[in-house]
Amino acid sequence: MQLLDGKLAAQAIKEDLHQKTSTLLQQGKRAPHLAAILVGTDGASETYVASKVKTCAEIGFESTLKRFPSTITEEELLQEIDELNNNDAVDGILVQLPLPKHISDDKVINKINPAKDVDGFHPVSVGNMVSGTPTFIPATPYGILLLLKQYNVETSGKHAVVIGRSHIVGTPMSILLSRKSNPGNCTVTICHSATTNLKEICLQGDIIVAALGQPEFLTADMVKDGAVIIDVGITRVADASKKSGFALKGDVKFDEVSVKSSYITPVPGGVGPMTIAGLLMNTYNAYMNKQ
Ligand code: NDP
């Protein structure tokens, strides 16, 4: 079994972007600039955004964090996005989801200028991704592709089973793995909560991407020998032994599945850091598209 070390792979990408940013600054240009919007005080969202902002600083990107109380109206939030759309010094905009119930995710996502849509959720980005036109790919699937590439994992002709069909992970992952590209060129089965023979399907998977948000769901009896396992799940599970009071659990029962797998991502330290790497790559590309 080989660990797909997302922390290590993300570090290599960050070093490369740091180098590129230093070169831009030496040439008298400005650094790429990511603007993040955080509404409310959800603990996990706070952690994710803080980590994105911190990583920008590490590699020399500029970042702006705009925080708003959960009482902000939809109209006010849309206006804030418009201001960022019109700010030439901002290359990428991300709105941390989920948003409070009174604000429509769709309206907010649709408001972002597609040229700055570094999360890749805007319908224009999604359409481009589906048609194979260069675009911003959602950060998590993008990070997974970068990780597979970094470790030279063979995907062509393999049967990939993706568990989960969300817009941010499962659906784009299944499309990207099915494309005629490397990584890609897989035969893909996408599973969800109404899939009746999930175990049977998983047992056929040469590659399994578990993105359902059910801690330790994928067990050894669901996996064939030599499978490549990508664990996207991150769930906070109460753990009194931790200072934070919780532990992070993936969707894969790592101890038993790792024994059967050829490659596997750990949680934490697998897909999580690669998601941030994907976002940074998108921000850099948004900047370069304007040059
Ligand atoms: P969603 O809740 O939006 O989607 C979960 C998907 O899994 C749905 O399609 C759902 O099916 C399916 N599902 C749920 N339970 C089952 C089940 N028992 N059997 C089969 N399918 C099931 O989650 P996300 O896609 O946003 O996230 C998935 C996980 O990945 C979460 O733990 C999240 O925290 C994590 N995540 C991690 C990231 C990272 O950087 N590592 C980034 C993004 C997410 P249905 O459509 O029928 O409801």
mmCIF file with all atom_site columns, all heavy atoms in Angstrom, residues 140 163-166 168-169 191-194 198 211-214 217 232-235 251 271-272 275, ligand 1:
data_model
loop_
_atom_site.group_PDB
_atom_site.id
_atom_site.type_symbol
_atom_site.label_atom_id
_atom_site.label_alt_id
_atom_site.label_comp_id
_atom_site.label_asym_id
_atom_site.label_entity_id
_atom_site.label_seq_id
_atom_site.pdbx_PDB_ins_code
_atom_site.Cartn_x
_atom_site.Cartn_y
_atom_site.Cartn_z
_atom_site.occupancy
_atom_site.B_iso_or_equiv
_atom_site.pdbx_formal_charge
_atom_site.auth_seq_id
_atom_site.auth_comp_id
_atom_site.auth_asym_id
_atom_site.auth_atom_id
_atom_site.pdbx_PDB_model_num
ATOM   1   N N   . THR A 1 140 ? -11.951 20.607 -4.978 1.00 0.00 ? 140 THR A N   1
ATOM   2   C CA  . THR A 1 140 ? -11.715 19.253 -4.439 1.00 0.00 ? 140 THR A CA  1
ATOM   3   C C   . THR A 1 140 ? -11.435 18.238 -5.556 1.00 0.00 ? 140 THR A C   1
ATOM   4   O O   . THR A 1 140 ? -10.396 17.554 -5.528 1.00 0.00 ? 140 THR A O   1
ATOM   5   C CB  . THR A 1 140 ? -12.890 18.816 -3.537 1.00 0.00 ? 140 THR A CB  1
ATOM   6   O OG1 . THR A 1 140 ? -13.015 19.777 -2.485 1.00 0.00 ? 140 THR A OG1 1
ATOM   7   C CG2 . THR A 1 140 ? -12.675 17.437 -2.951 1.00 0.00 ? 140 THR A CG2 1
ATOM   8   N N   . ILE A 1 163 ? -18.800 7.660  -4.884 1.00 0.00 ? 163 ILE A N   1
ATOM   9   C CA  . ILE A 1 163 ? -19.953 7.614  -3.970 1.00 0.00 ? 163 ILE A CA  1
ATOM   10  C C   . ILE A 1 163 ? -20.257 9.040  -3.540 1.00 0.00 ? 163 ILE A C   1
ATOM   11  O O   . ILE A 1 163 ? -19.453 9.677  -2.871 1.00 0.00 ? 163 ILE A O   1
ATOM   12  C CB  . ILE A 1 163 ? -19.683 6.735  -2.730 1.00 0.00 ? 163 ILE A CB  1
ATOM   13  C CG1 . ILE A 1 163 ? -19.016 5.415  -3.115 1.00 0.00 ? 163 ILE A CG1 1
ATOM   14  C CG2 . ILE A 1 163 ? -20.987 6.485  -1.971 1.00 0.00 ? 163 ILE A CG2 1
ATOM   15  C CD1 . ILE A 1 163 ? -18.564 4.590  -1.906 1.00 0.00 ? 163 ILE A CD1 1
ATOM   16  N N   . GLY A 1 164 ? -21.412 9.531  -3.946 1.00 0.00 ? 164 GLY A N   1
ATOM   17  C CA  . GLY A 1 164 ? -21.815 10.920 -3.676 1.00 0.00 ? 164 GLY A CA  1
ATOM   18  C C   . GLY A 1 164 ? -21.982 11.653 -4.994 1.00 0.00 ? 164 GLY A C   1
ATOM   19  O O   . GLY A 1 164 ? -21.180 11.470 -5.910 1.00 0.00 ? 164 GLY A O   1
ATOM   20  N N   . ARG A 1 165 ? -23.019 12.486 -5.080 1.00 0.00 ? 165 ARG A N   1
ATOM   21  C CA  . ARG A 1 165 ? -23.306 13.204 -6.341 1.00 0.00 ? 165 ARG A CA  1
ATOM   22  C C   . ARG A 1 165 ? -23.503 14.696 -6.102 1.00 0.00 ? 165 ARG A C   1
ATOM   23  O O   . ARG A 1 165 ? -24.281 15.346 -6.806 1.00 0.00 ? 165 ARG A O   1
ATOM   24  C CB  . ARG A 1 165 ? -24.547 12.599 -7.007 1.00 0.00 ? 165 ARG A CB  1
ATOM   25  C CG  . ARG A 1 165 ? -25.778 12.662 -6.129 1.00 0.00 ? 165 ARG A CG  1
ATOM   26  C CD  . ARG A 1 165 ? -27.011 12.118 -6.829 1.00 0.00 ? 165 ARG A CD  1
ATOM   27  N NE  . ARG A 1 165 ? -28.052 11.798 -5.860 1.00 0.00 ? 165 ARG A NE  1
ATOM   28  C CZ  . ARG A 1 165 ? -29.183 11.189 -6.163 1.00 0.00 ? 165 ARG A CZ  1
ATOM   29  N NH1 . ARG A 1 165 ? -29.444 10.830 -7.395 1.00 0.00 ? 165 ARG A NH1 1
ATOM   30  N NH2 . ARG A 1 165 ? -30.081 10.930 -5.225 1.00 0.00 ? 165 ARG A NH2 1
ATOM   31  N N   . SER A 1 166 ? -22.813 15.237 -5.089 1.00 0.00 ? 166 SER A N   1
ATOM   32  C CA  . SER A 1 166 ? -22.976 16.675 -4.842 1.00 0.00 ? 166 SER A CA  1
ATOM   33  C C   . SER A 1 166 ? -22.367 17.473 -5.985 1.00 0.00 ? 166 SER A C   1
ATOM   34  O O   . SER A 1 166 ? -21.526 16.971 -6.744 1.00 0.00 ? 166 SER A O   1
ATOM   35  C CB  . SER A 1 166 ? -22.311 17.069 -3.516 1.00 0.00 ? 166 SER A CB  1
ATOM   36  O OG  . SER A 1 166 ? -20.912 17.071 -3.666 1.00 0.00 ? 166 SER A OG  1
ATOM   37  N N   . ILE A 1 168 ? -20.381 19.893 -5.608 1.00 0.00 ? 168 ILE A N   1
ATOM   38  C CA  . ILE A 1 168 ? -19.007 20.339 -5.342 1.00 0.00 ? 168 ILE A CA  1
ATOM   39  C C   . ILE A 1 168 ? -17.992 19.198 -5.416 1.00 0.00 ? 168 ILE A C   1
ATOM   40  O O   . ILE A 1 168 ? -16.827 19.440 -5.645 1.00 0.00 ? 168 ILE A O   1
ATOM   41  C CB  . ILE A 1 168 ? -18.887 21.097 -3.994 1.00 0.00 ? 168 ILE A CB  1
ATOM   42  C CG1 . ILE A 1 168 ? -19.192 20.216 -2.801 1.00 0.00 ? 168 ILE A CG1 1
ATOM   43  C CG2 . ILE A 1 168 ? -19.795 22.302 -3.970 1.00 0.00 ? 168 ILE A CG2 1
ATOM   44  C CD1 . ILE A 1 168 ? -18.781 20.873 -1.484 1.00 0.00 ? 168 ILE A CD1 1
ATOM   45  N N   . VAL A 1 169 ? -18.434 17.969 -5.213 1.00 0.00 ? 169 VAL A N   1
ATOM   46  C CA  . VAL A 1 169 ? -17.470 16.862 -5.249 1.00 0.00 ? 169 VAL A CA  1
ATOM   47  C C   . VAL A 1 169 ? -17.892 15.744 -6.214 1.00 0.00 ? 169 VAL A C   1
ATOM   48  O O   . VAL A 1 169 ? -17.285 15.553 -7.276 1.00 0.00 ? 169 VAL A O   1
ATOM   49  C CB  . VAL A 1 169 ? -17.217 16.247 -3.844 1.00 0.00 ? 169 VAL A CB  1
ATOM   50  C CG1 . VAL A 1 169 ? -16.041 15.273 -3.922 1.00 0.00 ? 169 VAL A CG1 1
ATOM   51  C CG2 . VAL A 1 169 ? -16.961 17.293 -2.782 1.00 0.00 ? 169 VAL A CG2 1
ATOM   52  N N   . CYS A 1 191 ? -22.654 6.711  -7.500 1.00 0.00 ? 191 CYS A N   1
ATOM   53  C CA  . CYS A 1 191 ? -23.602 6.136  -6.539 1.00 0.00 ? 191 CYS A CA  1
ATOM   54  C C   . CYS A 1 191 ? -24.109 7.221  -5.584 1.00 0.00 ? 191 CYS A C   1
ATOM   55  O O   . CYS A 1 191 ? -23.445 8.231  -5.382 1.00 0.00 ? 191 CYS A O   1
ATOM   56  C CB  . CYS A 1 191 ? -22.934 5.040  -5.703 1.00 0.00 ? 191 CYS A CB  1
ATOM   57  S SG  . CYS A 1 191 ? -22.224 3.721  -6.686 1.00 0.00 ? 191 CYS A SG  1
ATOM   58  N N   . HIS A 1 192 ? -25.258 6.964  -4.981 1.00 0.00 ? 192 HIS A N   1
ATOM   59  C CA  . HIS A 1 192 ? -25.866 7.940  -4.066 1.00 0.00 ? 192 HIS A CA  1
ATOM   60  C C   . HIS A 1 192 ? -26.764 7.196  -3.099 1.00 0.00 ? 192 HIS A C   1
ATOM   61  O O   . HIS A 1 192 ? -26.756 5.952  -3.079 1.00 0.00 ? 192 HIS A O   1
ATOM   62  C CB  . HIS A 1 192 ? -26.633 8.997  -4.872 1.00 0.00 ? 192 HIS A CB  1
ATOM   63  C CG  . HIS A 1 192 ? -27.426 8.409  -5.987 1.00 0.00 ? 192 HIS A CG  1
ATOM   64  N ND1 . HIS A 1 192 ? -28.577 7.720  -5.757 1.00 0.00 ? 192 HIS A ND1 1
ATOM   65  C CD2 . HIS A 1 192 ? -27.175 8.350  -7.324 1.00 0.00 ? 192 HIS A CD2 1
ATOM   66  C CE1 . HIS A 1 192 ? -29.039 7.278  -6.918 1.00 0.00 ? 192 HIS A CE1 1
ATOM   67  N NE2 . HIS A 1 192 ? -28.188 7.641  -7.889 1.00 0.00 ? 192 HIS A NE2 1
ATOM   68  N N   . SER A 1 193 ? -27.565 7.953  -2.352 1.00 0.00 ? 193 SER A N   1
ATOM   69  C CA  . SER A 1 193 ? -28.317 7.313  -1.276 1.00 0.00 ? 193 SER A CA  1
ATOM   70  C C   . SER A 1 193 ? -29.406 6.371  -1.778 1.00 0.00 ? 193 SER A C   1
ATOM   71  O O   . SER A 1 193 ? -29.909 5.548  -1.012 1.00 0.00 ? 193 SER A O   1
ATOM   72  C CB  . SER A 1 193 ? -28.923 8.376  -0.355 1.00 0.00 ? 193 SER A CB  1
ATOM   73  O OG  . SER A 1 193 ? -29.851 9.153  -1.058 1.00 0.00 ? 193 SER A OG  1
ATOM   74  N N   . ALA A 1 194 ? -29.773 6.464  -3.048 1.00 0.00 ? 194 ALA A N   1
ATOM   75  C CA  . ALA A 1 194 ? -30.798 5.553  -3.570 1.00 0.00 ? 194 ALA A CA  1
ATOM   76  C C   . ALA A 1 194 ? -30.184 4.350  -4.296 1.00 0.00 ? 194 ALA A C   1
ATOM   77  O O   . ALA A 1 194 ? -30.913 3.526  -4.853 1.00 0.00 ? 194 ALA A O   1
ATOM   78  C CB  . ALA A 1 194 ? -31.733 6.312  -4.513 1.00 0.00 ? 194 ALA A CB  1
ATOM   79  N N   . LEU A 1 198 ? -24.899 -1.029 -3.527 1.00 0.00 ? 198 LEU A N   1
ATOM   80  C CA  . LEU A 1 198 ? -23.658 -0.256 -3.407 1.00 0.00 ? 198 LEU A CA  1
ATOM   81  C C   . LEU A 1 198 ? -22.427 -1.140 -3.179 1.00 0.00 ? 198 LEU A C   1
ATOM   82  O O   . LEU A 1 198 ? -21.383 -0.951 -3.805 1.00 0.00 ? 198 LEU A O   1
ATOM   83  C CB  . LEU A 1 198 ? -23.811 0.759  -2.261 1.00 0.00 ? 198 LEU A CB  1
ATOM   84  C CG  . LEU A 1 198 ? -22.697 1.773  -2.133 1.00 0.00 ? 198 LEU A CG  1
ATOM   85  C CD1 . LEU A 1 198 ? -22.699 2.732  -3.301 1.00 0.00 ? 198 LEU A CD1 1
ATOM   86  C CD2 . LEU A 1 198 ? -22.830 2.553  -0.839 1.00 0.00 ? 198 LEU A CD2 1
ATOM   87  N N   . ALA A 1 211 ? -17.208 10.100 -1.171 1.00 0.00 ? 211 ALA A N   1
ATOM   88  C CA  . ALA A 1 211 ? -17.535 11.504 -0.883 1.00 0.00 ? 211 ALA A CA  1
ATOM   89  C C   . ALA A 1 211 ? -18.989 11.585 -0.449 1.00 0.00 ? 211 ALA A C   1
ATOM   90  O O   . ALA A 1 211 ? -19.822 12.188 -1.100 1.00 0.00 ? 211 ALA A O   1
ATOM   91  C CB  . ALA A 1 211 ? -17.294 12.370 -2.120 1.00 0.00 ? 211 ALA A CB  1
ATOM   92  N N   . LEU A 1 212 ? -19.279 10.924 0.679  1.00 0.00 ? 212 LEU A N   1
ATOM   93  C CA  . LEU A 1 212 ? -20.672 10.897 1.122  1.00 0.00 ? 212 LEU A CA  1
ATOM   94  C C   . LEU A 1 212 ? -20.882 11.541 2.487  1.00 0.00 ? 212 LEU A C   1
ATOM   95  O O   . LEU A 1 212 ? -22.001 11.875 2.859  1.00 0.00 ? 212 LEU A O   1
ATOM   96  C CB  . LEU A 1 212 ? -21.241 9.472  1.080  1.00 0.00 ? 212 LEU A CB  1
ATOM   97  C CG  . LEU A 1 212 ? -20.662 8.388  1.988  1.00 0.00 ? 212 LEU A CG  1
ATOM   98  C CD1 . LEU A 1 212 ? -21.677 7.268  2.118  1.00 0.00 ? 212 LEU A CD1 1
ATOM   99  C CD2 . LEU A 1 212 ? -19.380 7.822  1.428  1.00 0.00 ? 212 LEU A CD2 1
ATOM   100 N N   . GLY A 1 213 ? -19.800 11.715 3.239  1.00 0.00 ? 213 GLY A N   1
ATOM   101 C CA  . GLY A 1 213 ? -19.940 12.369 4.542  1.00 0.00 ? 213 GLY A CA  1
ATOM   102 C C   . GLY A 1 213 ? -20.502 11.454 5.616  1.00 0.00 ? 213 GLY A C   1
ATOM   103 O O   . GLY A 1 213 ? -21.207 11.906 6.512  1.00 0.00 ? 213 GLY A O   1
ATOM   104 N N   . GLN A 1 214 ? -20.182 10.155 5.509  1.00 0.00 ? 214 GLN A N   1
ATOM   105 C CA  . GLN A 1 214 ? -20.602 9.169  6.523  1.00 0.00 ? 214 GLN A CA  1
ATOM   106 C C   . GLN A 1 214 ? -19.330 8.532  7.082  1.00 0.00 ? 214 GLN A C   1
ATOM   107 O O   . GLN A 1 214 ? -18.704 7.730  6.380  1.00 0.00 ? 214 GLN A O   1
ATOM   108 C CB  . GLN A 1 214 ? -21.476 8.070  5.906  1.00 0.00 ? 214 GLN A CB  1
ATOM   109 C CG  . GLN A 1 214 ? -22.712 8.549  5.172  1.00 0.00 ? 214 GLN A CG  1
ATOM   110 C CD  . GLN A 1 214 ? -23.832 8.917  6.116  1.00 0.00 ? 214 GLN A CD  1
ATOM   111 O OE1 . GLN A 1 214 ? -23.872 8.444  7.242  1.00 0.00 ? 214 GLN A OE1 1
ATOM   112 N NE2 . GLN A 1 214 ? -24.715 9.782  5.681  1.00 0.00 ? 214 GLN A NE2 1
ATOM   113 N N   . PHE A 1 217 ? -17.626 4.725  6.501  1.00 0.00 ? 217 PHE A N   1
ATOM   114 C CA  . PHE A 1 217 ? -18.675 3.994  5.778  1.00 0.00 ? 217 PHE A CA  1
ATOM   115 C C   . PHE A 1 217 ? -18.089 2.846  4.953  1.00 0.00 ? 217 PHE A C   1
ATOM   116 O O   . PHE A 1 217 ? -18.616 1.740  4.907  1.00 0.00 ? 217 PHE A O   1
ATOM   117 C CB  . PHE A 1 217 ? -19.411 4.975  4.860  1.00 0.00 ? 217 PHE A CB  1
ATOM   118 C CG  . PHE A 1 217 ? -20.472 4.371  4.010  1.00 0.00 ? 217 PHE A CG  1
ATOM   119 C CD1 . PHE A 1 217 ? -21.780 4.270  4.481  1.00 0.00 ? 217 PHE A CD1 1
ATOM   120 C CD2 . PHE A 1 217 ? -20.194 3.919  2.727  1.00 0.00 ? 217 PHE A CD2 1
ATOM   121 C CE1 . PHE A 1 217 ? -22.777 3.720  3.682  1.00 0.00 ? 217 PHE A CE1 1
ATOM   122 C CE2 . PHE A 1 217 ? -21.182 3.369  1.932  1.00 0.00 ? 217 PHE A CE2 1
ATOM   123 C CZ  . PHE A 1 217 ? -22.473 3.270  2.415  1.00 0.00 ? 217 PHE A CZ  1
ATOM   124 N N   . VAL A 1 232 ? -12.688 11.422 0.559  1.00 0.00 ? 232 VAL A N   1
ATOM   125 C CA  . VAL A 1 232 ? -12.964 12.867 0.566  1.00 0.00 ? 232 VAL A CA  1
ATOM   126 C C   . VAL A 1 232 ? -13.581 13.301 1.894  1.00 0.00 ? 232 VAL A C   1
ATOM   127 O O   . VAL A 1 232 ? -13.440 14.443 2.318  1.00 0.00 ? 232 VAL A O   1
ATOM   128 C CB  . VAL A 1 232 ? -13.916 13.242 -0.603 1.00 0.00 ? 232 VAL A CB  1
ATOM   129 C CG1 . VAL A 1 232 ? -14.152 14.739 -0.651 1.00 0.00 ? 232 VAL A CG1 1
ATOM   130 C CG2 . VAL A 1 232 ? -13.341 12.772 -1.935 1.00 0.00 ? 232 VAL A CG2 1
ATOM   131 N N   . GLY A 1 233 ? -14.246 12.373 2.555  1.00 0.00 ? 233 GLY A N   1
ATOM   132 C CA  . GLY A 1 233 ? -15.046 12.726 3.735  1.00 0.00 ? 233 GLY A CA  1
ATOM   133 C C   . GLY A 1 233 ? -14.260 13.408 4.843  1.00 0.00 ? 233 GLY A C   1
ATOM   134 O O   . GLY A 1 233 ? -13.109 13.066 5.108  1.00 0.00 ? 233 GLY A O   1
ATOM   135 N N   . ILE A 1 234 ? -14.897 14.382 5.426  1.00 0.00 ? 234 ILE A N   1
ATOM   136 C CA  . ILE A 1 234 ? -14.380 14.978 6.666  1.00 0.00 ? 234 ILE A CA  1
ATOM   137 C C   . ILE A 1 234 ? -15.590 15.191 7.559  1.00 0.00 ? 234 ILE A C   1
ATOM   138 O O   . ILE A 1 234 ? -16.450 16.011 7.247  1.00 0.00 ? 234 ILE A O   1
ATOM   139 C CB  . ILE A 1 234 ? -13.744 16.383 6.473  1.00 0.00 ? 234 ILE A CB  1
ATOM   140 C CG1 . ILE A 1 234 ? -12.730 16.424 5.346  1.00 0.00 ? 234 ILE A CG1 1
ATOM   141 C CG2 . ILE A 1 234 ? -13.126 16.863 7.777  1.00 0.00 ? 234 ILE A CG2 1
ATOM   142 C CD1 . ILE A 1 234 ? -12.177 17.824 5.108  1.00 0.00 ? 234 ILE A CD1 1
ATOM   143 N N   . THR A 1 235 ? -15.660 14.426 8.632  1.00 0.00 ? 235 THR A N   1
ATOM   144 C CA  . THR A 1 235 ? -16.745 14.628 9.590  1.00 0.00 ? 235 THR A CA  1
ATOM   145 C C   . THR A 1 235 ? -16.135 14.825 10.968 1.00 0.00 ? 235 THR A C   1
ATOM   146 O O   . THR A 1 235 ? -15.197 14.111 11.343 1.00 0.00 ? 235 THR A O   1
ATOM   147 C CB  . THR A 1 235 ? -17.704 13.413 9.600  1.00 0.00 ? 235 THR A CB  1
ATOM   148 O OG1 . THR A 1 235 ? -18.140 13.162 8.261  1.00 0.00 ? 235 THR A OG1 1
ATOM   149 C CG2 . THR A 1 235 ? -18.920 13.666 10.476 1.00 0.00 ? 235 THR A CG2 1
ATOM   150 N N   . ASP A 1 251 ? -14.521 9.005  5.233  1.00 0.00 ? 251 ASP A N   1
ATOM   151 C CA  . ASP A 1 251 ? -15.611 8.097  4.872  1.00 0.00 ? 251 ASP A CA  1
ATOM   152 C C   . ASP A 1 251 ? -15.131 6.652  4.744  1.00 0.00 ? 251 ASP A C   1
ATOM   153 O O   . ASP A 1 251 ? -15.917 5.764  4.406  1.00 0.00 ? 251 ASP A O   1
ATOM   154 C CB  . ASP A 1 251 ? -16.222 8.532  3.522  1.00 0.00 ? 251 ASP A CB  1
ATOM   155 C CG  . ASP A 1 251 ? -17.058 9.796  3.662  1.00 0.00 ? 251 ASP A CG  1
ATOM   156 O OD1 . ASP A 1 251 ? -17.432 10.144 4.804  1.00 0.00 ? 251 ASP A OD1 1
ATOM   157 O OD2 . ASP A 1 251 ? -17.342 10.432 2.626  1.00 0.00 ? 251 ASP A OD2 1
ATOM   158 N N   . VAL A 1 271 ? -7.025  14.490 0.892  1.00 0.00 ? 271 VAL A N   1
ATOM   159 C CA  . VAL A 1 271 ? -7.749  15.355 -0.043 1.00 0.00 ? 271 VAL A CA  1
ATOM   160 C C   . VAL A 1 271 ? -7.842  16.806 0.467  1.00 0.00 ? 271 VAL A C   1
ATOM   161 O O   . VAL A 1 271 ? -7.833  17.742 -0.327 1.00 0.00 ? 271 VAL A O   1
ATOM   162 C CB  . VAL A 1 271 ? -9.161  14.766 -0.317 1.00 0.00 ? 271 VAL A CB  1
ATOM   163 C CG1 . VAL A 1 271 ? -10.006 15.705 -1.146 1.00 0.00 ? 271 VAL A CG1 1
ATOM   164 C CG2 . VAL A 1 271 ? -9.030  13.403 -0.995 1.00 0.00 ? 271 VAL A CG2 1
ATOM   165 N N   . GLY A 1 272 ? -7.899  16.989 1.789  1.00 0.00 ? 272 GLY A N   1
ATOM   166 C CA  . GLY A 1 272 ? -8.051  18.338 2.359  1.00 0.00 ? 272 GLY A CA  1
ATOM   167 C C   . GLY A 1 272 ? -6.989  19.314 1.868  1.00 0.00 ? 272 GLY A C   1
ATOM   168 O O   . GLY A 1 272 ? -7.313  20.352 1.263  1.00 0.00 ? 272 GLY A O   1
ATOM   169 N N   . THR A 1 275 ? -7.320  20.141 -1.776 1.00 0.00 ? 275 THR A N   1
ATOM   170 C CA  . THR A 1 275 ? -8.421  21.050 -2.108 1.00 0.00 ? 275 THR A CA  1
ATOM   171 C C   . THR A 1 275 ? -7.910  22.496 -2.067 1.00 0.00 ? 275 THR A C   1
ATOM   172 O O   . THR A 1 275 ? -8.212  23.301 -2.955 1.00 0.00 ? 275 THR A O   1
ATOM   173 C CB  . THR A 1 275 ? -9.584  20.851 -1.113 1.00 0.00 ? 275 THR A CB  1
ATOM   174 O OG1 . THR A 1 275 ? -10.115 19.543 -1.306 1.00 0.00 ? 275 THR A OG1 1
ATOM   175 C CG2 . THR A 1 275 ? -10.692 21.864 -1.317 1.00 0.00 ? 275 THR A CG2 1
HETATM 176 P P1  . NDP B 2 .   ? -23.262 16.230 0.386  1.00 0.00 ? 1   NDP B P1  1
HETATM 177 O O1  . NDP B 2 .   ? -23.955 15.980 1.682  1.00 0.00 ? 1   NDP B O1  1
HETATM 178 O O2  . NDP B 2 .   ? -23.612 17.439 -0.410 1.00 0.00 ? 1   NDP B O2  1
HETATM 179 O O3  . NDP B 2 .   ? -23.432 14.975 -0.558 1.00 0.00 ? 1   NDP B O3  1
HETATM 180 C C1  . NDP B 2 .   ? -23.296 13.683 -0.070 1.00 0.00 ? 1   NDP B C1  1
HETATM 181 C C2  . NDP B 2 .   ? -23.622 12.718 -1.160 1.00 0.00 ? 1   NDP B C2  1
HETATM 182 O O4  . NDP B 2 .   ? -23.445 11.411 -0.642 1.00 0.00 ? 1   NDP B O4  1
HETATM 183 C C3  . NDP B 2 .   ? -25.043 12.818 -1.691 1.00 0.00 ? 1   NDP B C3  1
HETATM 184 O O5  . NDP B 2 .   ? -25.046 12.679 -3.091 1.00 0.00 ? 1   NDP B O5  1
HETATM 185 C C4  . NDP B 2 .   ? -25.750 11.648 -1.020 1.00 0.00 ? 1   NDP B C4  1
HETATM 186 O O6  . NDP B 2 .   ? -26.774 11.077 -1.812 1.00 0.00 ? 1   NDP B O6  1
HETATM 187 C C5  . NDP B 2 .   ? -24.628 10.643 -0.884 1.00 0.00 ? 1   NDP B C5  1
HETATM 188 N N1  . NDP B 2 .   ? -24.846 9.748  0.237  1.00 0.00 ? 1   NDP B N1  1
HETATM 189 C C6  . NDP B 2 .   ? -25.116 10.065 1.519  1.00 0.00 ? 1   NDP B C6  1
HETATM 190 N N2  . NDP B 2 .   ? -25.263 8.953  2.254  1.00 0.00 ? 1   NDP B N2  1
HETATM 191 C C7  . NDP B 2 .   ? -25.092 7.914  1.413  1.00 0.00 ? 1   NDP B C7  1
HETATM 192 C C8  . NDP B 2 .   ? -25.116 6.504  1.581  1.00 0.00 ? 1   NDP B C8  1
HETATM 193 N N3  . NDP B 2 .   ? -25.365 5.935  2.765  1.00 0.00 ? 1   NDP B N3  1
HETATM 194 N N4  . NDP B 2 .   ? -24.874 5.736  0.496  1.00 0.00 ? 1   NDP B N4  1
HETATM 195 C C9  . NDP B 2 .   ? -24.634 6.286  -0.721 1.00 0.00 ? 1   NDP B C9  1
HETATM 196 N N5  . NDP B 2 .   ? -24.592 7.613  -0.926 1.00 0.00 ? 1   NDP B N5  1
HETATM 197 C C10 . NDP B 2 .   ? -24.815 8.416  0.138  1.00 0.00 ? 1   NDP B C10 1
HETATM 198 O O7  . NDP B 2 .   ? -21.707 16.219 0.746  1.00 0.00 ? 1   NDP B O7  1
HETATM 199 P P2  . NDP B 2 .   ? -20.441 16.845 -0.019 1.00 0.00 ? 1   NDP B P2  1
HETATM 200 O O8  . NDP B 2 .   ? -20.291 16.258 -1.361 1.00 0.00 ? 1   NDP B O8  1
HETATM 201 O O9  . NDP B 2 .   ? -20.450 18.300 0.139  1.00 0.00 ? 1   NDP B O9  1
HETATM 202 O O10 . NDP B 2 .   ? -19.278 16.286 0.927  1.00 0.00 ? 1   NDP B O10 1
HETATM 203 C C11 . NDP B 2 .   ? -19.077 14.904 1.128  1.00 0.00 ? 1   NDP B C11 1
HETATM 204 C C12 . NDP B 2 .   ? -18.040 14.735 2.220  1.00 0.00 ? 1   NDP B C12 1
HETATM 205 O O11 . NDP B 2 .   ? -16.810 15.303 1.765  1.00 0.00 ? 1   NDP B O11 1
HETATM 206 C C13 . NDP B 2 .   ? -18.332 15.463 3.526  1.00 0.00 ? 1   NDP B C13 1
HETATM 207 O O12 . NDP B 2 .   ? -17.807 14.708 4.600  1.00 0.00 ? 1   NDP B O12 1
HETATM 208 C C14 . NDP B 2 .   ? -17.591 16.769 3.402  1.00 0.00 ? 1   NDP B C14 1
HETATM 209 O O13 . NDP B 2 .   ? -17.241 17.322 4.649  1.00 0.00 ? 1   NDP B O13 1
HETATM 210 C C15 . NDP B 2 .   ? -16.370 16.294 2.675  1.00 0.00 ? 1   NDP B C15 1
HETATM 211 N N6  . NDP B 2 .   ? -15.679 17.322 1.901  1.00 0.00 ? 1   NDP B N6  1
HETATM 212 C C16 . NDP B 2 .   ? -14.328 17.364 2.027  1.00 0.00 ? 1   NDP B C16 1
HETATM 213 C C17 . NDP B 2 .   ? -13.575 18.253 1.310  1.00 0.00 ? 1   NDP B C17 1
HETATM 214 C C18 . NDP B 2 .   ? -12.114 18.219 1.452  1.00 0.00 ? 1   NDP B C18 1
HETATM 215 O O14 . NDP B 2 .   ? -11.460 19.207 1.142  1.00 0.00 ? 1   NDP B O14 1
HETATM 216 N N7  . NDP B 2 .   ? -11.530 17.109 1.891  1.00 0.00 ? 1   NDP B N7  1
HETATM 217 C C19 . NDP B 2 .   ? -14.220 19.232 0.424  1.00 0.00 ? 1   NDP B C19 1
HETATM 218 C C20 . NDP B 2 .   ? -15.643 19.066 0.297  1.00 0.00 ? 1   NDP B C20 1
HETATM 219 C C21 . NDP B 2 .   ? -16.340 18.140 1.023  1.00 0.00 ? 1   NDP B C21 1
HETATM 220 P P3  . NDP B 2 .   ? -28.122 11.897 -2.232 1.00 0.00 ? 1   NDP B P3  1
HETATM 221 O O15 . NDP B 2 .   ? -27.692 12.794 -3.354 1.00 0.00 ? 1   NDP B O15 1
HETATM 222 O O16 . NDP B 2 .   ? -29.032 10.829 -2.679 1.00 0.00 ? 1   NDP B O16 1
HETATM 223 O O17 . NDP B 2 .   ? -28.552 12.632 -1.013 1.00 0.00 ? 1   NDP B O17 1
#
